[in-house]
Amino acid sequence: MTYEQLKEKIIAEVVRYAPELIQVSDDMADNPELSGKEYETSRKLVEFLKKHGYETEYPFGGKETAFRGIYGENGHKYKIAVLVEYDALPELGHACGHCISGAMSILAGLAMRELQEELDADIHIVGTPDEEDDGAKCIMVEKGIFDQYDMAIMVHLYNRNLVMPKFQALAEYFYEFHGKSAHASAAPWEGKNALNGLQLMIHAMDMLRQHTKGDAQFHYIIKEGGLAPNIVPEKTVLQLFIRAGSKDYIEELMRLVDDCARGAAIATQTTWKKYPEDQTYYVDLRENQTGEKALREVFEEMGITENGPKNLIFGSSDIGNVSYACPAFHPCLQVVDEAPIHTREFERAMKTDRAHEALVTGAKLIGLQIAKVFSDEERIVKMKADFERHQ
């Protein structure tokens, strides 16, 4: 088939299955489940895939709510992962848009089932839960699951259309200070104040900000600050996010923040530790010029106008980790005019006609990107070369 014939087939199949996936998305929106606890959602999605002829692995990849769906003999030359997200946010439900995004990926997979032979590519539907918290994709990358894939792709919902959003690396740690309790009035000299240590660490980080690059960010909350004002706090806990534009720079910032904690503990005669010591963190999304060029062509063909500023920072996601294992793409589709993601306004938009239209558009976008790249051997070679160049 020519690309145009593939395109016609994909669009027809997307339209055919769209009503089913709109129902799937609406059900997820009505029954949100938090990161890592998507038990009922993942079960329903796996049953849906089985109904449509997929062999499924569930649980999968080290996460009990993750899955993989494979259609057919799975013996083709290339392998492509279409990623499905489906976790929700505390209090805000699917203000992340994962109900639409996840259903969209499954719709794209269904539309591509009968084209695997033509493209000589197995198109796997991979359920990747827990994106908002621990990041199932990180665990899968560590296990080498994405090493077998020639490309991975998904689409996220947003308030702008973006071909290749910029992602920051993200590390999350808990810093715990320990001191010695005492009566804060009768014998304060007997105490060593863990809250003072934590506060001094925060002040040190604030001073550090003056001398970091523009892409560096620190945000935190005090999880434990003491028990009562008249007791010198013997234990305090800080939950900290560190963000940066690259994997290398976030590692440098992590070292500098550790110095802030170490110095604060020395100054206040307390002790400190951080955990988890070996946590996998989110890294930046690596560019791939060949794949991005193909994606831009698909945007133009579909009449999707990119209306976000160049290098707009989208935030952080475990898709970045995937991009260090294989070429990975994460375009964004506009589903609201102004409301940012992770707001109640965004959550309320998930069952609108506009959201349902975006679900269909996104499925076409995924399918056409796969078809455009994998129907052209030269593009495949160049995309792989771009990936290897940045290793």
Side-chain angles (χ1 to χ4, degrees), residues 1-21:
M1 290 186 189
T2 65
Y3 169 72
E4 289 302 322
Q5 289 171 320
L6 291 168
K7 179 178 178 180
E8 184 179 346
K9 176 70 172 175
I10 291 165
I11 291 173
E13 291 295 285
V14 167
V15 171
R16 176 185 173 190
Y17 289 106
E20 287 186 64
L21 273 303

Side-chain angles (χ1 to χ4, degrees), residues 233-282:
E234 66 177 349
K235 177 190 173 185
T236 53
V237 179
L238 182 80
Q239 183 180 4
L240 173 68
F241 283 8
I242 309 170
R243 298 186 198 256
S246 70
K247 180 176 181 289
D248 290 341
Y249 191 40
I250 200 168
E251 289 176 352
E252 180 181 346
L253 293 176
M254 287 156 60
R255 178 182 60 80
L256 294 174
V257 169
D258 282 355
D259 284 346
C260 291
R262 185 176 298 108
I266 292 171
T268 56
Q269 294 296 288
T270 56
T271 61
W272 71 283
K273 67 177 182 178
K274 77 173 182 180
Y275 57 89
E277 286 289 346
D278 300 316
Q279 180 198 8
T280 298
Y281 53 89
Y282 293 2

Side-chain angles (χ1 to χ4, degrees), residues 102-166:
M104 174 194 301
S105 289
I106 292 175
L107 178 55
L110 287 183
M112 302 292 291
R113 282 182 308 176
E114 304 303 330
L115 296 176
Q116 293 184 141
E117 190 71 27
E118 183 68 32
L119 297 172
D120 201 8
D122 297 306
I123 301 168
H124 296 176
I125 298 177
V126 183
T128 59
D130 208 6
E131 188 273 337
E132 298 290 352
D133 192 2
D134 289 335
K137 299 183 196 69
C138 299
I139 295 170
M140 293 177 184
V141 168
E142 286 185 340
K143 289 180 174 292
I145 287 170
F146 288 106
D147 293 346
Q148 68 178 292
Y149 288 105
D150 299 284
M151 189 178 87
I153 186 169
M154 60 169 286
V155 174
H156 208 286
L157 281 301
Y158 201 43
N159 59 6
R160 295 288 184 272
N161 295 317
L162 302 172
V163 172
M164 202 74 173
K166 186 175 179 61

Side-chain angles (χ1 to χ4, degrees), residues 37-99:
K37 299 179 180 178
E38 314 93 334
Y39 301 109
E40 191 64 15
T41 303
S42 58
R43 184 192 65 79
K44 289 178 181 178
L45 295 178
V46 168
E47 290 302 317
F48 182 90
L49 291 175
K50 287 180 177 178
K51 184 180 77 172
H52 286 278
Y54 282 81
E55 293 289 329
T56 59
E57 298 171 71
Y58 176 60
F60 173 70
K63 296 288 282 189
E64 59 183 342
T65 56
F67 62 83
R68 177 163 66 180
I70 297 174
Y71 188 84
E73 295 300 317
N74 197 35
H76 294 104
K77 180 178 181 180
Y78 301 111
K79 294 199 186 304
I80 302 156
V82 181
L83 307 179
V84 182
E85 294 181 348
Y86 39 93
D87 59 327
L89 294 161
E91 302 285 326
L92 294 175
H94 278 282
C96 50
H98 290 173
C99 55

Side-chain angles (χ1 to χ4, degrees), residues 85 131 154 156 162 164-170 215 243-247 282-286 311-320 323 329-332:
E85 294 181 348
E131 188 273 337
M154 60 169 286
H156 208 286
L162 302 172
M164 202 74 173
K166 186 175 179 61
F167 282 83
Q168 291 175 295
L170 166 67
D215 59 310
R243 298 186 198 256
S246 70
K247 180 176 181 289
Y282 293 2
V283 297
D284 51 305
L285 183 66
R286 292 172 59 186
N311 293 324
L312 176 68
I313 294 176
F314 180 81
S316 305
S317 176
D318 51 1
I319 185 75
S323 73
F329 303 95
H330 188 283
C332 295

